[in-house]
Amino acid sequence: MLFLLTNRMRPGLTPAQFSELAALAQSFYGSIPTEVTIRGEWAAVDGSHNYTLLEAPDSATVRSIQAPFEPYTETVIVPVSAIQGWTAS
């Protein structure tokens, strides 16, 4: 199943919190669960948001891998499907 994640940095993070967030991200990318595939990632030019398209078995899996980031980001998780033109594929 495909999911689009939108992560927005929580306002007012301290430099120490940014460091903790970076360490979490490094740990995540070093041990992505085998059942999860990142299809693409994008960041807003101003650094305020990032977007990830990933494949996972279910939304519970996505929530569990996103949970450590909760103190630092506001996350929206949306199940999505590919479309061509205006029809779902």
Side-chain angles (χ1 to χ4, degrees):
M1 183 172 217
L2 291 174
F3 296 91
L4 178 65
L5 280 66
T6 302
N7 294 299
R8 178 185 308 214
M9 295 292 188
R10 291 193 182 276
L13 293 180
T14 66
Q17 289 171 315
F18 274 111
S19 292
E20 292 166 13
L21 178 59
L24 277 173
Q26 185 175 19
S27 174
F28 169 75
Y29 287 109
S31 60
I32 296 171
T34 57
E35 69 273 16
V36 175
T37 302
I38 296 176
R39 295 281 193 95
E41 295 184 284
W42 301 266
V45 174
D46 68 1
S48 63
H49 294 71
N50 72 307
Y51 306 90
T52 304
L53 180 64
L54 60 82
E55 189 170 355
D58 52 41
S59 60
T61 299
V62 179
R63 282 193 304 275
S64 71
I65 63 173
Q66 193 61 30
F69 297 93
E70 182 64 26
Y72 311 104
T73 64
E74 298 170 359
T75 303
V76 177
I77 301 168
V78 179
V80 297
S81 61
I83 60 171
Q84 289 185 325
W86 290 102
T87 60
S89 55

